[in-house]
Amino acid sequence: MALQLLILACLLLAVPALAGGLWGKDRSLLFRWISGQFLLWAGFQLICVPLILGKRSFTLLTELYLAYMAALSLLAAALEIGRRKKGRGSGRKEKEAGRRPVEGIALWAVFGAVLLFQLAQAVRLAYADTDDAYYVAVAAVTENSDTMYRVLPYTGGETMLDSRHGLAPFPIWIAFLARLSGMRTVTVAQVVAPVVLIAMTYGIYYLFSKELFPERSGQRAMFLIFTELLVLFGNYSIYTVENFMIARSRQGKAALGNIVIPFLLLLLLLLLKKLQEKERIPFSTYLLLGTVVMTGCLCSTLGALLVCMAIGVAGALGAVCYRRLRILAPLMLCCMPGVAYAVLYLLSGS
């Protein structure tokens, strides 16, 4: 069990944090971890869907995706070593920031305690949602049969590809984690994945708080505590975002609503701030938006529409309000993966 957890920690924490260094040297470790995971998810979608349509094996997907992860890790490590040799690392800046007194220590302690409570409850009270009869079963069948969406999880018989699910293979990612770690698929889906994905959700909210309250650490803690309260008392329906976050985080549509869309809104906020301040928008920002679009497609076929719609609305508002019409062209290119998968879904039939 210890070795299995160590492997999952490397796959879900260390590798994404390392890959996130590709976005630049001035990013915090938290931003690197989250953005790195989006980069890995986007690559998984790009590799997995063609293999599903080509009726290839799950083992081949595992090998190709491992090669993709290794290539990103080596490239990110090489860039980080190059930055440190040139003396442009951010270590000194982070150390200086660490010496500053933390405002609202008690509030941060409350936030940490409630977060640990939610993570513990997400594991201790794990229950089988009705959708798990399909999504978790698909992940288990994928690992056991070495096929992807070729076996019906309800009966075990052969079936035709369901493009609605086959083009959004988030359960296959769960199966990939189970295959590499050796842990049971249902354990990865209902115990390990919720802890990481819920923590990632609060990490995104923390990044939001830094933009909303850049100079007041106590206000950031208060913002996160109120967010936790909304989650704790948001289970008034099985369809709320809060219910999806705590009880159904292992499902792709839950990741879409709690991770992909909030992170997209954070990136759009940063984009609009740069437009307001008339700063140049780095190319890495557009690449990161593209990975978010790809990840939205990985989580749900509806994600292609929602993510592209959000980018389109924000881009139109930014172009009109800040008179930067040139922003529309690169944002349209960012949406091309979502458009391509939407067209593929229509052509393949539902």
Side-chain angles (χ1 to χ4, degrees):
M1 177 64 74
L3 179 59
Q4 294 172 343
L5 291 176
L6 179 61
I7 294 173
L8 288 172
C10 291
L11 293 174
L12 295 173
L13 300 177
V15 175
L18 181 59
L22 293 172
W23 301 116
K25 66 182 189 301
D26 297 326
R27 301 293 189 178
S28 66
L29 180 60
L30 179 61
F31 188 92
R32 289 189 180 194
W33 172 50
I34 296 173
S35 60
Q37 185 60 68
F38 272 87
L39 184 59
L40 294 173
W41 273 333
F44 188 87
Q45 171 75 353
L46 192 62
I47 296 171
C48 187
V49 170
L51 295 180
I52 291 175
L53 297 178
K55 302 180 182 179
R56 307 304 294 271
S57 68
F58 176 61
T59 299
L60 178 59
L61 167 66
T62 302
E63 295 171 350
L64 292 177
Y65 187 56
L66 273 176
Y68 172 75
M69 294 178 68
L72 285 184
S73 300
L74 291 175
L75 179 59
L79 289 177
E80 187 65 24
I81 292 173
R83 294 186 192 118
R84 292 184 180 277
K85 285 184 177 180
K86 294 179 181 179
R88 296 186 298 166
S90 58
R92 182 185 304 174
K93 190 180 298 184
E94 292 176 355
K95 289 180 181 179
E96 291 176 355
R99 297 193 192 103
R100 299 173 184 171
V102 179
E103 179 188 352
I105 296 178
L107 293 176
W108 283 111
V110 171
F111 163 71
V114 177
L115 175 59
L116 290 176
F117 172 76
Q118 290 188 7
L119 295 178
Q121 293 296 89
V123 173
R124 190 178 70 87
L125 301 179
Y127 67 96
D129 181 78
T130 52
D131 284 342
D132 286 344
Y134 184 85
Y135 292 110
V136 176
V138 163
V141 167
T142 296
E143 186 188 5
N144 294 327
S145 67
D146 201 32
T147 62
M148 295 182 289
Y149 293 102
R150 310 307 304 176
V151 176
L152 189 65
Y154 300 123
T155 62
E158 294 186 3
T159 182
M160 299 291 292
L161 174 65
D162 178 6
S163 58
R164 175 192 165 205
H165 297 99
L167 296 180
F170 195 82
I172 308 298
W173 178 70
I174 299 292
F176 168 80
L177 297 176
R179 169 70 66 89
L180 260 65
S181 65
M183 188 176 289
R184 291 182 178 274
T185 309
V186 66
T187 305
V188 174
Q190 295 195 346
V191 177
V192 178
V195 172
V196 175
L197 296 178
I198 291 172
M200 185 177 294
T201 301
Y202 279 110
I204 295 172
Y205 290 141
Y206 172 76
L207 294 175
F208 256 117
S209 70
K210 289 182 67 176
E211 297 300 322
L212 297 176
F213 313 104
E215 302 296 334
R216 300 299 301 273
S217 176
Q219 291 181 350
R220 293 199 295 267
M222 186 66 71
F223 170 83
L224 292 170
I225 291 172
F226 276 112
T227 303
E228 289 177 326
L229 290 176
L230 290 175
V231 173
L232 284 173
F233 296 95
N235 193 31
Y236 53 85
S237 168
I238 63 173
Y239 302 108
T240 63
V241 177
E242 295 84 357
N243 177 276
F244 272 73
M245 175 180 171
I246 296 297
R248 308 169 71 175
S249 55
R250 56 197 169 265
Q251 299 173 9
K253 51 191 175 183
L256 174 66
N258 290 292
I259 296 177
V260 177
I261 292 179
F263 190 64
L264 172 64
L265 296 178
L266 173 65
L267 294 180
L268 293 177
L269 174 62
L270 297 175
L271 178 73
L272 293 176
K273 278 191 172 183
K274 286 189 175 295
L275 290 178
Q276 184 181 26
E277 297 169 1
K278 298 182 180 179
E279 296 181 0
R280 186 184 67 86
I281 299 175
F283 181 68
S284 60
T285 299
Y286 297 118
L287 287 180
L288 188 51
L289 282 172
T291 64
V292 173
V293 174
M294 290 287 290
T295 304
C297 299
L298 169 69
C299 295
S300 171
T301 49
L302 183 61
L305 172 64
L306 296 178
V307 172
C308 292
M309 184 183 301
I311 293 177
V313 171
L317 292 175
V320 173
C321 296
Y322 302 115
R323 300 175 183 176
R324 293 280 296 274
L325 296 179
R326 291 179 297 177
I327 197 69
L328 294 177
L331 289 180
M332 290 177 61
L333 291 177
C334 293
C335 294
M336 285 300 104
V339 175
Y341 280 105
V343 172
L344 185 61
Y345 172 73
L346 293 176
L347 293 179
S348 59
S350 58

